[in-house]
Amino acid sequence: MKRWTSSLAIFSIMLLALAATGVAQTGNQGSIEGTLADASGAVIAGAQLTATNQQTGIQFSTKSNAEGLFVFPVLPVGIYDLKAEHVGFATVTSKNLQVKVGSKTNLPLSMGVSGTVETVNVSDAAPLIETTRSSFSTTVDNTSVEKLPTNGRNFIDFVLLTPGVTRDVRTGDISFAGQRGTLNSLTVDGADNNNTFFGQTTGRTGSGRAPYQFSQDAVQEFQVNSNGYSAELGRAGGAVVNVITKSGTNAFHGTGFWFFRDRGMNADDPINKQTAALAGTTVARKPAYHFNQFGGNVGGPIVKNKAFFFFDYDGQRNTQPNPITFSLPTIAAPTAFETAAINYLSARSAAWNRSLNQDTYLGKVDWNVNSSNLLSVRYNRQNFTGEGFESGGATNSFEHTGASLVTTDTIAASFTSTITPALVNVGRFNYQIDKEPGKANSVNPEAIVRQGSFSFTIGRNFFSPRETTIHRQQYADTLTYVKGRHTLKGGLDIIHDDILNYFPGNFSGSFTFNNLQSFGCSLQNVSLTAATCPGASASYTQAFAGTGTTGATTKPNIFEIGLFLQDDWKVRSNLTLNLGIRWDLQKFAAPSVQNPAALAAGYDTKQLNTDNNNIGPRFGFAWSPWLERSLVVRGGYGIFYGRTPSIMVGTAHSNNGINVGTFTFSGAAIPSYPNTLCGAPVETPSCAAPAGGSSAPPSIYLFKPGYQQPIVQQANLGTEFALMKDMAISVGYQFVKGNHLQRTRDVNLGTPVLTPITVSTTGQVLSYRKYPAARPATTLGRVSQFEDSANSVYHGLNVQLTKRFSHHFQFTSAYTWGKVIDDAPDATAVVPFGSDDAKMNADPLLIAFDRGPGVNDQRHRWVSSVVWTMDYAKNMNPVAKAILNGWELSGIFTAQSGQPYTGLVSSDLNSDSNSRTDRAPNEGRNAYRLPSTYSLDPRLLRNINFTEHAKVQIFAEAFNILNHFNVSGVRTTQYALTAGQLVPQTAPATRFGLPNAHTGARIFQLGAKISF
């Protein structure tokens, strides 16, 4: 505590010193700067400059300094008219300057001598190239957000239009430069919008749960900062996505929309067609499917030029079928117990629907308090209900699932004060509640019933009901001071997350009946012994809270501080240096329970190091060698620190071998179904662990001593050239090196022994490292250590061609060649002996064995988008105009090489208790590639105008209109372990590499929108 407090004090003194002597890039702001000169090139000092927002009428003023430089350091996003005035010179006006989020518009102005008519320099927009920006960033503007099709209308998907980006293998995450999605950060209107527990966006949007937290129609635009960004942006080793929401203006505007899909408009599932072809059967009829999205918004003035409002609503109703496979084996003469079991299961064998329904609301007020102060306040609510979402599958009854709920509430406020034209302060406050409970559909405990190859699961799933809730407070302040050629900026950002996590795994009990006879006996309250229930075979598992502990409830709270200093130094008119330094602290609530047996074995379950020396320097340059500024060369280097998801901390709090004890019972000790060892089934059972159960040595989680935060070095070098006024091409190189990345590793293993094994088809004898059954710490099972030992390195080349919207046309096209090599980093392996095991190392004591292509390694990716408004018939006769005018065509085309996957052995070959990562001794990690994919997503739209400002739009759009089989997953079992030999999997229906997942068959969607 003393160490990090001292560091904070020192850094605070540095910040205050700069502010006392001393361009907002977050929130809903950008900047305009430039040089004012006369016709001879001599600078003009003391000129008065006024920037007026066309939509709101709000004005901002500044003066040119002794060097002729002027800066509007903080401007809300919008379109501006800029006027420059000076005694003795003609007034200069530059119109239609578009200020985008995070933009730094450089605008040289020339003033003529007075005595002539007022000079007006008209420009359609701000200069296309930002000649003072050194970072690698891309802005997705409102035209793209409004007019391009998106499957599901999650605005974050537009990030995939930018270079160096792909989808992370973890659903809902985006990967930048091959890094894992947990290293990214999302800000909305300058407020942190990340779920620090799961390491995803607030509400875990796009993760298969809630589709989005903000309606696409409420998003104005956003900026993707993916390499070498300003010291103002932090808490990320990947990218920072900076989103702004819409605001009201001086004119009343509104929209209403509706999107619809149905089974009849979609193509057959290619996996179903493949399965039918292999089985020689006909393709099953497409299941029923209904999908509706609807909503609207309205905004306008409260007081003209003074106060404005905006309100948005977005709803989704999505129903997905969950078919059931229920094929009981034929029993010639079933016993009474078997009959009872069959009747009970049959009554629960009906197919059921999964519904993904959501409502989002956004209200925003912007108030121009006076000429020096602006206040913006936003409230946003997301309410998602995923019925049947907790568990799905063809062998799960409806009562084995439950509702996955997401409710988020956000209040974000910013107050911008122009103290002087050269001194601007932006204060921010953010309060969020991210509540994500899971509900059970039954109070009965989980029961898996088997009979030969038949298996069916009833009762609630083993982890419901559960809950994860985060209460966040964020306080931030940024001070910008313009002094000569320097734009100095410093800031403080504090976040406190109060986190409640409740994950009661097996607290409600879990039965496994290996035959119908056993289940029937249990239903009839007959003891599962050979004497009373012949042929009985069953087991029962239940977890209990440790005496005097919080059990499955944890509070892994987080306290974060960020401090930064930034100097954007305009060395010359064509050379800008971006210099910065940032300090980040993430302090956790350390575990409160120390396991004496683990401590005696050398493992301290109570310790968690606070990494308090995370100081990251940033350097960048932007150089325009030509006076006409049609070319810029930019580059930069910086050190960035990522977050540690609190799910790791919470796991260390509860999985310490003390908080939770899990016991297995057999025979007469098994309670009659649906009872538990706490008596009759209840929503949340609670009792002391009874005697008679067996318990393996506990498997625990803890942090490595001296654990450090992820550190990422980023560097970029590139050039951008304006081919014409509205078109530019850029070429850039990115380097990203990650160290101290997270992983989970079992450290309680003995010394492995080289063991031979034969490949059955070739007779080849291979050697692998096999671990002994006995563990060094005999009182413990698996000791899963959260470490900072993973590494990665990425090299990428990006080429992007951009034409902004003009003359009815806009397009972007970006190609990325990239390569990431790592040794299997992952920050989410927190549940032992399940699917999370696949995220761990194949050989826990030989990390180098896993060095290879990263899971997000995608060597080639090309994405293009186009918007074309075909208003060429407006001057034709009325008939031709009615038929031909008002059409719009837009679309996105994506082509990309496949991501890698690993060939596995279907067994725990090396006996490390993890059967999900084993591979043949001569096989490398991620040695195979999925097929390349491509998708064309077009939209055809017709505008029907009623008045100048009121219209109806009717459109049809398609996703993967060419219906290409885009494989996203295959069978990864390369070998079966049979009779001590490796047997290659080559059978048609189970062969290695056989596709078993895809990104989606062709989907058609219809929609309508009314706007005024």
Side-chain angles (χ1 to χ4, degrees):
M1 174 70 74
K2 183 178 179 181
R3 183 182 173 194
W4 76 262
T5 303
S6 300
S7 299
L8 174 60
I10 293 171
F11 209 88
S12 298
I13 293 171
M14 294 169 57
L15 174 63
L16 292 173
L18 176 65
T21 66
V23 180
Q25 299 305 312
T26 59
N28 61 337
Q29 297 151 343
S31 65
I32 296 177
E33 61 183 43
T35 305
L36 202 60
D38 62 18
S40 68
V43 300
I44 301 175
Q48 181 71 36
L49 294 103
T50 304
T52 304
N53 189 300
Q54 290 183 359
Q55 292 95 347
T56 64
I58 298 177
Q59 293 186 336
F60 302 84
S61 298
T62 191
K63 288 187 176 182
S64 59
N65 63 18
E67 297 174 299
L69 299 174
F70 66 89
V71 179
F72 293 91
V74 178
L75 292 176
V77 167
I79 300 175
Y80 286 82
D81 293 338
L82 179 63
K83 182 167 68 174
E85 300 172 291
H86 194 283
V87 175
F89 292 91
T91 299
V92 174
T93 302
S94 186
K95 295 181 177 293
N96 303 319
L97 297 174
Q98 187 170 13
V99 174
K100 296 184 178 181
V101 57
S103 66
K104 296 181 178 181
T105 301
N106 189 24
L107 185 68
L109 293 177
S110 178
M111 300 185 75
V113 178
S114 63
T116 62
V117 295
E118 182 182 25
T119 301
V120 179
N121 295 333
V122 179
S123 61
D124 292 333
L128 183 60
I129 295 180
E130 295 181 45
T131 57
T132 62
R133 172 177 58 82
S134 61
S135 63
F136 192 91
S137 64
T138 304
T139 299
V140 180
D141 62 15
N142 183 250
T143 301
S144 298
V145 174
E146 179 182 343
K147 296 183 179 295
L148 289 174
T150 51
N151 190 357
R153 288 176 48 80
N154 183 357
F155 71 90
I156 288 294
D157 287 347
F158 286 117
V159 171
L160 296 168
L161 296 175
T162 62
V165 183
T166 189
R167 291 192 185 276
D168 188 37
V169 294
R170 185 168 77 141
T171 303
D173 287 358
I174 303 292
S175 170
F176 293 84
Q179 306 303 298
R180 302 309 306 272
T182 50
L183 290 173
N184 300 329
S185 178
L186 174 69
T187 66
V188 179
D189 296 328
D192 188 285
N193 205 70
N194 300 285
N195 182 301
T196 51
F197 185 84
F198 293 106
Q200 295 184 306
T201 60
T202 297
R204 303 180 75 190
T205 54
S207 61
R209 292 174 173 79
Y212 41 79
Q213 188 192 2
F214 293 86
S215 171
Q216 179 180 333
D217 278 27
V219 173
Q220 177 70 20
E221 62 185 36
F222 58 90
Q223 183 187 46
V224 182
N225 301 276
S226 54
N227 192 292
Y229 37 86
S230 162
E232 185 175 1
L233 305 175
R235 302 190 178 110
V240 176
V241 179
N242 185 18
V243 178
I244 64 165
T245 58
K246 291 180 179 178
S247 296
T249 66
N250 274 330
F252 283 100
H253 291 289
T255 64
F257 66 87
W258 172 70
F259 294 83
F260 172 72
R261 299 182 194 174
D262 188 74
R263 169 178 61 188
M265 296 189 291
N266 299 340
D268 287 323
D269 188 315
I271 298 295
N272 290 343
K273 294 166 67 175
Q274 172 186 272
T275 302
L278 290 172
T281 60
T282 58
V283 179
R285 186 172 183 264
K286 289 180 291 186
Y289 174 64
H290 300 286
F291 182 83
N292 289 273
Q293 288 178 291
F294 46 87
N297 56 60
V298 63
I302 299 173
V303 178
K304 190 174 182 180
N305 294 340
K306 190 73 173 176
F308 314 91
F309 78 96
F310 180 80
F311 175 79
D312 179 89
Y313 164 75
D314 189 298
Q316 172 180 291
R317 301 296 181 265
N318 186 358
T319 302
Q320 300 176 354
N322 188 94
I324 292 295
T325 300
F326 189 79
S327 302
L328 280 168
T330 301
I331 301 176
T335 67
F337 296 132
E338 289 173 329
T339 299
I342 291 171
N343 292 338
Y344 190 94
L345 297 176
S346 298
R348 290 158 176 78
S349 63
W352 45 274
N353 288 330
R354 168 182 285 182
S355 62
L356 290 78
N357 299 331
Q358 175 168 284
D359 299 287
T360 65
Y361 309 86
L362 182 144
K364 188 176 182 181
V365 173
D366 297 275
W367 178 27
N368 183 21
V369 181
N370 52 44
S371 60
S372 300
N373 297 285
L374 290 174
L375 175 65
S376 180
V377 179
R378 167 179 54 81
Y379 170 73
N380 188 83
R381 179 175 178 83
Q382 169 197 23
N383 190 10
F384 170 80
T385 301
E387 292 288 353
F389 206 89
E390 289 296 89
S391 283
T395 60
N396 286 329
S397 66
F398 178 68
E399 66 182 18
H400 188 247
T401 185
S404 180
L405 309 179
V406 177
T407 302
T408 66
D409 291 276
T410 304
I411 298 175
S414 67
F415 191 73
T416 302
S417 298
T418 304
I419 302 169
T420 71
L423 187 63
V424 180
N425 189 81
V426 180
R428 301 188 186 281
F429 169 74
N430 176 31
Y431 180 76
Q432 288 184 357
I433 302 175
D434 186 342
K435 188 172 184 178
E436 302 186 26
K439 302 297 184 181
N441 277 356
S442 172
V443 297
N444 292 342
E446 177 182 77
I448 303 170
V449 183
R450 301 188 176 111
Q451 180 78 29
S453 61
F454 169 81
S455 180
F456 196 65
T457 305
I458 58 173
R460 64 179 176 183
N461 58 62
F462 72 94
F463 54 82
S464 292
R466 57 169 181 82
E467 181 178 353
T468 302
T469 297
I470 301 176
H471 288 256
R472 164 171 299 161
Q473 297 180 60
Q474 180 182 13
Y475 305 88
D477 193 81
T478 301
L479 185 66
T480 303
Y481 180 49
V482 181
K483 179 67 173 177
R485 291 182 173 271
H486 298 265
T487 299
L488 304 170
K489 185 161 43 175
L492 169 68
D493 191 347
I494 298 174
I495 292 179
H496 178 258
D497 280 355
D498 192 344
I499 304 174
L500 168 68
N501 185 58
Y502 174 62
F503 191 84
N506 285 322
F507 271 64
S508 59
S510 179
F511 292 80
T512 299
F513 298 101
N514 294 320
N515 52 49
L516 294 170
Q517 177 82 350
S518 302
F519 181 52
C521 289
S522 188
L523 286 173
Q524 301 296 325
N525 200 23
V526 174
S527 178
L528 297 178
T529 63
T532 55
C533 185
S537 176
S539 63
Y540 176 76
T541 298
Q542 188 170 341
F544 303 87
T547 303
T549 73
T550 58
T553 301
T554 61
K555 298 201 70 178
N557 299 336
I558 291 176
F559 177 72
E560 295 181 317
I561 297 178
L563 285 167
F564 78 93
L565 305 172
Q566 180 77 26
D567 181 6
D568 294 340
W569 177 20
K570 201 173 187 65
V571 182
R572 296 196 301 269
S573 61
N574 65 343
L575 176 62
T576 300
L577 298 182
N578 305 126
L579 310 173
I581 188 169
R582 183 180 177 92
W583 177 66
D584 281 303
L585 171 76
Q586 185 181 21
K587 185 172 177 60
F588 310 96
S592 59
V593 175
Q594 193 171 60
N595 186 325
L599 187 64
Y603 304 112
D604 187 356
T605 61
K606 194 175 181 179
Q607 68 85 35
L608 175 52
N609 180 58
T610 297
D611 186 13
N612 57 20
N613 61 352
N614 294 333
I615 297 177
R618 316 278 173 90
F619 165 79
F621 73 91
W623 174 51
S624 299
W626 298 346
L627 292 178
E628 59 268 28
R629 298 170 185 260
S630 59
L631 174 70
V632 62
V633 179
R634 58 171 62 99
Y637 169 82
I639 295 177
F640 305 79
Y641 294 89
R643 279 168 157 154
T644 294
S646 200
I647 191 172
M648 298 170 65
V649 182
T651 301
H653 278 220
S654 60
N655 288 30
N656 49 32
I658 301 294
N659 268 48
V660 176
T662 302
F663 301 88
T664 300
F665 300 84
S666 59
I670 299 177
S672 298
Y673 191 81
N675 295 315
T676 72
L677 291 175
C678 297
V682 293
E683 184 69 14
T684 307
S686 178
C687 64
S694 63
S695 179
S699 292
I700 64 172
Y701 283 82
L702 75 164
F703 275 85
K704 167 192 170 184
Y707 172 85
Q708 298 183 52
Q709 296 291 97
I711 179 171
V712 179
Q713 300 177 69
Q714 297 181 3
N716 69 85
L717 180 64
T719 182
E720 188 174 7
F721 177 67
L723 300 172
M724 55 185 67
K725 183 178 180 180
D726 292 314
M727 184 183 298
I729 186 170
S730 63
V731 179
Y733 163 74
Q734 290 190 71
F735 168 80
V736 179
K737 188 176 189 297
N739 298 108
H740 298 298
L741 304 180
Q742 299 108 333
R743 68 154 44 95
T744 305
R745 188 170 66 94
D746 183 5
V747 294
N748 189 22
L749 290 169
T751 303
V753 176
L754 280 178
T755 305
I757 191 167
T758 302
V759 180
S760 65
T761 52
T762 65
Q764 182 183 13
V765 178
L766 306 172
S767 294
Y768 67 98
R769 288 157 48 99
K770 186 172 184 178
Y771 288 92
R775 293 181 177 270
T778 57
T779 59
L780 300 172
R782 185 187 292 184
V783 177
S784 298
Q785 183 168 266
F786 293 130
E787 296 185 344
D788 57 359
S789 60
N791 303 279
S792 72
V793 62
Y794 171 87
H795 298 274
L797 177 67
N798 307 290
V799 180
Q800 184 172 27
L801 181 65
T802 303
K803 181 191 179 300
R804 68 182 173 194
F805 190 81
S806 64
H807 306 293
H808 309 286
F809 193 65
Q810 167 182 300
F811 75 83
T812 63
S813 185
Y815 167 75
T816 301
W817 174 88
K819 179 180 181 180
V820 60
I821 300 294
D822 62 34
D823 50 17
D826 191 276
T828 60
V830 296
V831 180
F833 310 110
S835 59
D836 278 5
D837 278 5
K839 306 170 185 176
M840 298 173 68
N841 291 98
D843 189 329
L845 301 188
L846 188 62
I847 293 174
F849 185 50
D850 277 333
R851 182 169 174 78
V855 292
N856 294 318
D857 182 50
Q858 193 163 63
R859 299 296 167 87
H860 304 278
R861 190 170 193 273
W862 176 36
V863 57
S864 297
S865 67
V866 62
V867 175
W868 183 19
T869 59
M870 298 177 285
D871 290 332
Y872 301 113
K874 58 184 178 181
N875 295 323
M876 295 184 179
N877 64 68
V879 176
K881 183 176 179 180
I883 297 174
L884 301 176
N885 207 35
W887 292 93
E888 293 183 11
L889 180 65
S890 61
I892 300 172
F893 176 75
T894 305
Q896 55 195 16
S897 56
Q899 291 175 301
Y901 67 93
T902 300
L904 301 173
V905 176
S906 63
S907 174
D908 184 10
L909 181 64
N910 65 356
S911 300
D912 67 346
S913 79
N914 182 354
S915 62
R916 294 176 183 260
T917 59
D918 291 77
R919 55 183 189 265
N922 62 334
E923 292 289 334
R925 171 175 163 264
N926 286 335
Y928 300 90
R929 294 273 167 176
L930 296 173
S932 297
T933 64
Y934 62 82
S935 180
L936 177 61
D937 305 336
R939 170 193 280 185
L940 181 62
L941 179 147
R942 176 69 192 277
N943 291 292
I944 303 173
N945 296 316
F946 294 106
T947 67
E948 182 181 357
H949 301 292
K951 64 181 177 181
V952 171
Q953 296 175 318
I954 301 174
F955 50 86
E957 53 191 20
F959 305 99
N960 190 17
I961 192 171
L962 302 177
N963 201 32
H964 185 249
F965 187 6
N966 290 318
V967 177
S968 60
V970 297
R971 293 185 61 89
T972 56
T973 300
Q974 186 177 11
Y975 296 97
L977 185 61
T978 305
Q981 291 188 325
L982 294 176
V983 181
Q985 297 301 284
T986 59
T990 60
R991 68 172 174 85
F992 172 61
L994 181 71
N996 59 10
H998 62 100
T999 59
R1002 178 177 56 241
I1003 294 173
F1004 277 107
Q1005 179 168 272
L1006 302 178
K1009 188 174 186 178
I1010 184 171
S1011 59
F1012 62 89

Short mmCIF file of all heavy atoms in Angstrom, two decimals, residues 14-22 422-423 479-484 486 488:
data_model
loop_
_atom_site.label_atom_id
_atom_site.label_comp_id
_atom_site.label_asym_id
_atom_site.label_seq_id
_atom_site.Cartn_x
_atom_site.Cartn_y
_atom_site.Cartn_z
N MET A 14 3.68 15.83 -10.42
CA MET A 14 4.09 16.07 -11.80
C MET A 14 2.93 16.64 -12.61
O MET A 14 3.09 17.57 -13.41
CB MET A 14 4.59 14.77 -12.43
CG MET A 14 5.86 14.23 -11.83
SD MET A 14 6.19 12.55 -12.41
CE MET A 14 6.24 12.79 -14.18
N LEU A 15 1.75 16.07 -12.41
CA LEU A 15 0.57 16.52 -13.16
C LEU A 15 0.23 17.97 -12.83
O LEU A 15 -0.02 18.79 -13.72
CB LEU A 15 -0.62 15.61 -12.84
CG LEU A 15 -1.97 16.03 -13.42
CD1 LEU A 15 -1.91 16.00 -14.93
CD2 LEU A 15 -3.06 15.12 -12.90
N LEU A 16 0.23 18.32 -11.54
CA LEU A 16 -0.12 19.67 -11.14
C LEU A 16 0.91 20.69 -11.64
O LEU A 16 0.58 21.80 -12.01
CB LEU A 16 -0.24 19.73 -9.62
CG LEU A 16 -1.43 18.97 -9.03
CD1 LEU A 16 -1.35 18.97 -7.51
CD2 LEU A 16 -2.75 19.55 -9.50
N ALA A 17 2.18 20.26 -11.67
CA ALA A 17 3.22 21.17 -12.15
C ALA A 17 3.00 21.50 -13.62
O ALA A 17 3.15 22.65 -14.04
CB ALA A 17 4.59 20.52 -11.95
N LEU A 18 2.65 20.51 -14.41
CA LEU A 18 2.40 20.76 -15.83
C LEU A 18 1.17 21.63 -16.02
O LEU A 18 1.15 22.57 -16.81
CB LEU A 18 2.24 19.45 -16.58
CG LEU A 18 1.88 19.60 -18.06
CD1 LEU A 18 3.01 20.28 -18.82
CD2 LEU A 18 1.57 18.26 -18.68
N ALA A 19 0.08 21.32 -15.27
CA ALA A 19 -1.15 22.08 -15.43
C ALA A 19 -0.93 23.55 -15.06
O ALA A 19 -1.50 24.45 -15.67
CB ALA A 19 -2.25 21.47 -14.56
N ALA A 20 -0.07 23.77 -14.09
CA ALA A 20 0.18 25.15 -13.67
C ALA A 20 0.93 25.91 -14.75
O ALA A 20 0.80 27.12 -14.88
CB ALA A 20 0.97 25.16 -12.36
N THR A 21 1.77 25.23 -15.53
CA THR A 21 2.50 25.88 -16.61
C THR A 21 1.73 25.77 -17.92
O THR A 21 1.91 26.60 -18.80
CB THR A 21 3.86 25.23 -16.81
OG1 THR A 21 3.69 23.90 -17.26
CG2 THR A 21 4.67 25.26 -15.54
N GLY A 22 1.00 24.67 -17.98
CA GLY A 22 0.36 24.36 -19.23
C GLY A 22 -0.81 25.31 -19.49
O GLY A 22 -0.65 26.48 -19.33
N ALA A 422 -7.24 29.52 -24.25
CA ALA A 422 -6.09 28.61 -24.26
C ALA A 422 -6.15 27.58 -23.14
O ALA A 422 -5.26 26.73 -23.05
CB ALA A 422 -4.79 29.41 -24.14
N LEU A 423 -7.16 27.62 -22.30
CA LEU A 423 -7.23 26.72 -21.15
C LEU A 423 -8.63 26.14 -21.05
O LEU A 423 -9.60 26.87 -20.82
CB LEU A 423 -6.88 27.47 -19.87
CG LEU A 423 -6.75 26.64 -18.59
CD1 LEU A 423 -5.61 25.63 -18.71
CD2 LEU A 423 -6.53 27.55 -17.39
N LEU A 479 -7.32 18.54 -18.24
CA LEU A 479 -7.04 19.95 -18.42
C LEU A 479 -6.15 20.13 -19.63
O LEU A 479 -5.09 19.50 -19.74
CB LEU A 479 -6.35 20.52 -17.18
CG LEU A 479 -6.09 22.03 -17.15
CD1 LEU A 479 -7.41 22.80 -17.11
CD2 LEU A 479 -5.23 22.39 -15.94
N THR A 480 -6.57 20.99 -20.57
CA THR A 480 -5.82 21.26 -21.79
C THR A 480 -5.37 22.72 -21.80
O THR A 480 -6.18 23.63 -21.57
CB THR A 480 -6.68 20.97 -23.03
OG1 THR A 480 -7.13 19.62 -22.99
CG2 THR A 480 -5.87 21.19 -24.30
N TYR A 481 -4.08 22.92 -22.08
CA TYR A 481 -3.52 24.27 -22.09
C TYR A 481 -2.70 24.46 -23.35
O TYR A 481 -1.79 23.67 -23.64
CB TYR A 481 -2.64 24.47 -20.85
CG TYR A 481 -1.99 25.83 -20.75
CD1 TYR A 481 -2.73 27.00 -20.91
CD2 TYR A 481 -0.63 25.94 -20.47
CE1 TYR A 481 -2.14 28.24 -20.81
CE2 TYR A 481 -0.02 27.19 -20.36
CZ TYR A 481 -0.79 28.34 -20.53
OH TYR A 481 -0.19 29.57 -20.42
N VAL A 482 -3.03 25.49 -24.12
CA VAL A 482 -2.32 25.79 -25.36
C VAL A 482 -1.31 26.90 -25.07
O VAL A 482 -1.67 28.00 -24.63
CB VAL A 482 -3.29 26.23 -26.47
CG1 VAL A 482 -2.52 26.53 -27.75
CG2 VAL A 482 -4.34 25.15 -26.72
N LYS A 483 -0.05 26.59 -25.30
CA LYS A 483 1.03 27.54 -25.03
C LYS A 483 1.99 27.52 -26.21
O LYS A 483 2.73 26.54 -26.42
CB LYS A 483 1.76 27.15 -23.75
CG LYS A 483 2.92 28.07 -23.39
CD LYS A 483 2.45 29.47 -23.03
CE LYS A 483 3.62 30.32 -22.52
NZ LYS A 483 3.20 31.72 -22.22
N GLY A 484 1.99 28.57 -27.00
CA GLY A 484 2.88 28.63 -28.15
C GLY A 484 2.58 27.50 -29.12
O GLY A 484 1.46 27.34 -29.59
N HIS A 486 2.79 24.39 -28.31
CA HIS A 486 2.50 23.21 -27.50
C HIS A 486 1.02 23.17 -27.11
O HIS A 486 0.46 24.19 -26.68
CB HIS A 486 3.34 23.20 -26.23
CG HIS A 486 4.82 23.13 -26.48
ND1 HIS A 486 5.52 21.95 -26.50
CD2 HIS A 486 5.72 24.12 -26.72
CE1 HIS A 486 6.79 22.20 -26.74
NE2 HIS A 486 6.95 23.52 -26.89
N LEU A 488 -0.70 21.24 -24.35
CA LEU A 488 -0.38 20.44 -23.17
C LEU A 488 -1.67 19.92 -22.55
O LEU A 488 -2.68 20.63 -22.47
CB LEU A 488 0.38 21.28 -22.15
CG LEU A 488 1.67 21.94 -22.67
CD1 LEU A 488 2.20 22.93 -21.66
CD2 LEU A 488 2.71 20.88 -22.97
#
